[in-house]
Amino acid sequence: MYTYSLVFLNALTWWQITLAVIGSLFALYIIGFLITLCFVLSFKKRMKSKYKAICLQVNLRYTLLKSIEDYFISKKVKLPDDFTSLMHDLKDLNEMNIDASKRYDYIKTLSEAKAHLVFYIEQLDKYYDDNNYLSFKESYLKSEDEYRRLVSSYNLDVSGYNYWVKNIFYRYIFKLIRFKKLDTIR
């Protein structure tokens, strides 16, 4: 068998061997690209689902703030004007209309609104130990923790995606098919 393969190689001309080597290298390149493309598409799919979860967390924060605002309004507590103006700015919030530029503004506004509300309510001694307020505060803190966890996970996926898209062997093909480097969420 070994002698048969040597005889077969001796029967090939130099250009046939060159074509076989080039064809093999091209096949390896295509296989490598397909594997890289699978990684890129996998990261892209995971990032899409995590971004939806991030948007849902932003919406959950707004819902929590709105519910505690309604609770204190039902208790006839006059909430600070800063808080009510911030909540008015957030009234058009919807998890479907959050893009990258709006998301950061919403998070910033939600954090400011929560800070104004917590500072004001904790100044009032009779509502400091209110069970509804304490459960709101706990839920909001859990939501903040989940948001940070999701953003961290999303940013790790963005790093992996960017690594494969910027792969030295395939970056021009990815640029040609319009896969570009993505930014992390802050």
Side-chain angles (χ1 to χ4, degrees):
M1 177 136 184
Y2 178 71
T3 57
Y4 177 72
S5 61
L6 287 178
V7 172
F8 178 72
L9 284 177
N10 284 337
L12 295 176
T13 61
W14 65 271
W15 59 271
Q16 289 173 328
I17 294 173
T18 305
L19 283 177
V21 169
I22 290 173
S24 298
L25 290 176
F26 184 71
L28 285 174
Y29 184 80
I30 295 298
I31 290 170
F33 173 73
L34 292 175
I35 290 170
T36 303
L37 182 63
C38 288
F39 282 125
V40 167
L41 293 175
S42 171
F43 277 117
K44 196 168 187 171
K45 182 179 177 185
R46 287 176 21 197
M47 288 184 311
K48 185 177 180 180
S49 67
K50 286 179 185 169
Y51 192 78
K52 284 182 181 179
I54 287 169
C55 292
L56 285 171
Q57 283 298 319
V58 172
N59 195 31
L60 175 66
R61 283 182 176 182
Y62 174 73
T63 305
L64 287 169
L65 274 176
K66 189 69 179 150
S67 65
I68 199 66
E69 177 189 32
D70 294 341
Y71 171 73
F72 281 120
I73 287 174
S74 71
K75 291 282 192 180
K76 308 270 191 268
V77 175
K78 169 114 174 67
L79 295 172
D81 293 334
D82 295 335
F83 174 75
T84 54
S85 68
L86 288 170
M87 289 301 287
H88 181 71
D89 294 342
L90 293 169
K91 72 179 176 181
D92 63 337
L93 179 64
N94 180 351
E95 73 270 8
M96 297 306 169
N97 70 359
I98 299 176
D99 61 0
S101 62
K102 287 183 180 181
R103 185 197 45 75
Y104 183 71
D105 293 337
Y106 284 144
I107 289 296
K108 185 178 171 188
T109 307
L110 283 167
S111 296
E112 289 175 13
K114 179 223 166 205
H116 285 294
L117 179 69
V118 168
F119 179 76
Y120 181 75
I121 295 301
E122 291 188 359
Q123 297 299 317
L124 304 173
D125 288 336
K126 68 179 185 178
Y127 294 110
Y128 181 75
D129 290 335
D130 186 47
N131 286 334
N132 288 327
Y133 171 70
L134 292 175
S135 67
F136 153 76
K137 199 171 165 185
E138 181 182 339
S139 297
Y140 198 89
L141 290 174
K142 285 180 183 177
S143 175
E144 285 178 335
D145 290 343
E146 181 65 15
Y147 175 81
R148 282 191 292 275
R149 187 192 67 75
L150 284 169
V151 166
S152 174
S153 179
Y154 176 85
N155 287 340
L156 286 173
D157 287 342
V158 167
S159 296
Y161 172 86
N162 288 339
Y163 172 80
W164 289 108
V165 167
K166 292 296 180 180
N167 185 313
I168 192 167
F169 297 115
Y170 310 113
R171 81 172 54 152
Y172 297 110
I173 296 174
F174 282 120
K175 190 179 279 190
L176 183 66
I177 57 177
R178 296 191 180 137
F179 282 92
K180 52 187 161 184
K181 183 180 176 196
L182 298 176
D183 295 327
T184 57
I185 292 177
R186 47 184 171 129

